[in-house]
Amino acid sequence: MDDSDSQAFKDRTFVSSDGLTLHLRDYDPPAEATEDRLPLICLPGLTRNSRDFHALALILSRDPVAPRRVIALDYRGRGLSDWDENKDNYNLAVEARDVVEACTYLDIGRAAFIGTSRGGLILHLLAGMNPDLVAAVVLNDIGPVIEAGGLMKIRDDLNAARLPSAMEEAAALLKLRHSAEFPALSDSDWAEMATAIFRDIDGQLVPDVDPAIARQLLSIDFTKPVPDLWAQYERFARLPLMVVRGKNSALLSENTLTAMADRHSNLRIVRVPGQGHPPLLHSEPALQSIRTFLTAT
C-alpha cells in the first residue's frame, strides 16, 4: 500500500458498551460528492479484518461518477481492535451488537452492507436486531447453511502450526495451501492477501487475530449437523439481496443457493470462476455486479 492509498481512509476507533476499543477504516469522500448515496459497511470473515476490503473500498470511494463512503470494520479480537479477555464474547450476537454501536458512533442510521463469510452470518442477525439500519445486503460466499466439509477445512487451515518469516513466504504459503481452489489468482493477489492476513507482532509474522478465535473451531462436534439460519434468512425477504459465490467454494453449496433463491424472489446470484471461499470482491465479475447492485441503493 503506497502513501496515496493510506491517505484514502481514516483510522477511527470507538469504545464498545463493554469497554473495548474497536477500530474501523473510514473511506469518506467529500459529502457533496456522495450526494444521497448510502454508505457501504463491510464486514470481514471469521479471522479477517478491515484490510480485506481495501482494494474494493478504494474503487468504490474513488468512483469518478458515483463515489460512496465505505467503512470496513475490525471486530473485537481482529486487526487493530482490542482482544477480549472473555473469549466467550467472540460470538455472532456480540459482534452484531458491535456493528450497531459502530454505526451509532459514525451517526449512520441506514446503510448497505457487504458480509464476507462470518460477516454474512452477522448480517443474518443484524437484519432482525436493527431492521431500519439495513438497506441492502451482499453476502459473500455465505448463506444460511454452512457445509461441514468447508468448515472443517477452515478449522484445519486456521490451526496450522507453520508461521512465515517474511511476507514473501506468507504469500507463498497461502498460494501453496489454496491455489487449487483459486487458480484465477495472480502472485500479486497472493501478496495482497498476505498483507491483509498477517502482521508483524514482536518480530514475528502472525495472523492478525486473537488465536482463541481459531481455537473455537476445534470444539465443534462435526458428528452433529451444523445449525442453520433459515429463520434469520427470512428477514432478508424485504431487502435487495445479492449473493456472491466462488465457483470452487466448499462452504456455500449450489443446493443452498437454489434454496435461497426459492425463498427470495429477487435474489441476485453472482458466480466467480476460478475462486473458492471467499472470492475477492474487487475481481470480476463480482466488482461490476456489486457496483450495479449498489446503484439502486
Side-chain angles (χ1 to χ4, degrees):
M1 183 173 66
D2 61 32
D3 289 342
S4 63
D5 284 356
S6 64
Q7 294 169 6
F9 62 89
K10 295 178 181 177
D11 288 301
R12 299 188 185 276
T13 59
F14 67 99
V15 179
S16 69
S17 56
D18 57 349
L20 271 65
T21 298
L22 304 182
H23 170 263
L24 57 87
R25 285 184 171 192
D26 189 353
Y27 300 76
D28 193 7
E32 62 271 16
T34 60
E35 296 181 348
D36 295 326
R37 284 181 287 278
L38 290 173
L40 175 66
I41 298 177
C42 301
L43 307 180
L46 175 66
T47 60
R48 306 292 279 268
N49 59 72
S50 58
R51 298 195 298 276
D52 267 351
F53 294 100
H54 181 64
L56 178 68
L58 285 180
I59 293 168
L60 297 180
S61 63
R62 292 175 169 178
D63 187 286
V65 176
R68 183 183 300 267
R69 186 183 187 185
V70 181
I71 295 104
L73 272 61
D74 287 344
Y75 312 131
R76 58 182 63 209
R78 289 83 157 181
L80 299 181
S81 290
D82 284 351
W83 292 10
D84 199 322
E85 292 184 5
N86 181 359
K87 307 309 178 185
D88 291 338
N89 283 338
Y90 295 134
N91 66 66
L92 294 177
V94 170
E95 290 161 14
R97 185 190 71 197
D98 290 342
V99 174
V100 173
E101 292 179 2
C103 292
T104 300
Y105 159 71
L106 294 166
D107 196 26
I108 291 174
R110 192 160 174 79
F113 286 83
I114 291 178
T116 293
S117 197
R118 173 80 158 208
L121 299 180
I122 290 171
L123 286 173
H124 279 72
L125 272 63
L126 194 64
M129 289 173 56
N130 197 329
D132 292 339
L133 178 62
V134 184
V137 169
V138 177
L139 299 175
N140 184 19
D141 214 62
I142 195 67
V145 176
I146 298 174
E147 298 300 315
L151 190 56
M152 284 189 280
K153 185 179 188 305
I154 292 172
R155 174 200 63 190
D156 295 342
D157 286 341
L158 292 180
N159 288 282
R162 184 178 173 188
L163 293 174
S165 58
M167 279 296 180
E168 294 79 7
E169 184 184 359
L173 282 173
L174 289 171
K175 184 176 181 180
L176 179 64
R177 290 176 187 167
H178 305 295
S179 59
E181 304 150 69
F182 287 87
L185 267 58
S186 66
D187 285 344
S188 64
D189 291 325
W190 294 114
E192 287 180 11
M193 191 182 299
T195 61
I197 292 175
F198 291 93
R199 184 156 64 97
D200 188 323
I201 298 178
D202 297 329
Q204 172 64 62
L205 275 185
V206 294
D208 199 4
V209 60
D210 185 341
I213 294 170
R215 288 198 296 266
Q216 284 180 336
L217 299 181
L218 297 173
S219 65
I220 297 175
D221 183 357
F222 284 101
T223 66
K224 300 176 181 178
V226 178
D228 67 61
L229 292 175
W230 281 120
Q232 292 78 10
Y233 177 79
E234 297 298 336
R235 297 164 181 161
F236 294 137
R238 63 181 178 84
L239 297 171
L241 180 65
M242 184 169 85
V243 180
V244 179
R245 179 180 186 266
K247 292 196 75 173
N248 299 329
S249 175
L251 202 75
L252 175 63
S253 72
E254 284 290 336
N255 286 340
T256 297
L257 271 185
T258 298
M260 292 169 74
D262 289 342
R263 301 185 189 209
H264 193 293
S265 59
N266 293 311
L267 178 66
R268 175 168 174 74
I269 297 173
V270 180
R271 296 172 177 84
V272 181
Q275 297 196 46
H277 177 81
L280 305 183
L281 295 179
H282 57 279
S283 65
E284 298 296 358
L287 175 59
Q288 187 54 48
S289 298
I290 290 170
R291 297 175 89 158
T292 301
F293 178 78
L294 290 175
T295 298
T297 68

